[in-house]
Amino acid sequence: MTAYELIFPDYLDGYEHETEAKGYLVGVSVVVDGQPADFVVYDPVRLMQEVADAIESAGLFSEQRLLVVARVTREEITSAIQKLSAGNFHDFL
């Protein structure tokens, strides 16, 4: 398992319920060996909406470091990042 620091955006404090209801969060950062990697986090419903809208307007959907979790909460995101660390963040860093 790779050592890392998980950093949530400052604006999340006090807005956790709103963020979960919206189904997405931008600016989740994972720092490994001093190198930050920013993630965009979606729940499956919101992701499908974003994909459909992007395909309709631009013909494609693309997102770097996309993380999909059941619910956009600190707990779900922390758990997912922990699982990725077990694989040394192979696909993301």
Side-chain angles (χ1 to χ4, degrees), residues 27-91:
V28 173
S29 187
V30 176
V31 181
V32 178
D33 295 330
Q35 299 292 87
D38 292 333
F39 286 79
V40 177
V41 184
Y42 284 96
D43 71 21
V45 172
R46 181 60 186 261
L47 177 61
M48 293 308 297
Q49 292 169 344
E50 291 293 322
V51 169
D53 289 348
I55 289 173
E56 184 175 316
S57 66
L60 63 96
F61 175 84
S62 177
E63 189 72 61
Q64 186 176 10
R65 293 195 179 108
L66 174 66
L67 182 63
V68 182
V69 293
R71 294 177 9 254
V72 181
T73 65
R74 286 180 192 264
E75 294 79 19
E76 290 280 335
I77 295 167
T78 299
S79 176
I81 294 297
Q82 198 169 42
K83 289 174 185 172
L84 290 175
S85 77
N88 299 318
F89 298 100
H90 182 270
D91 296 329

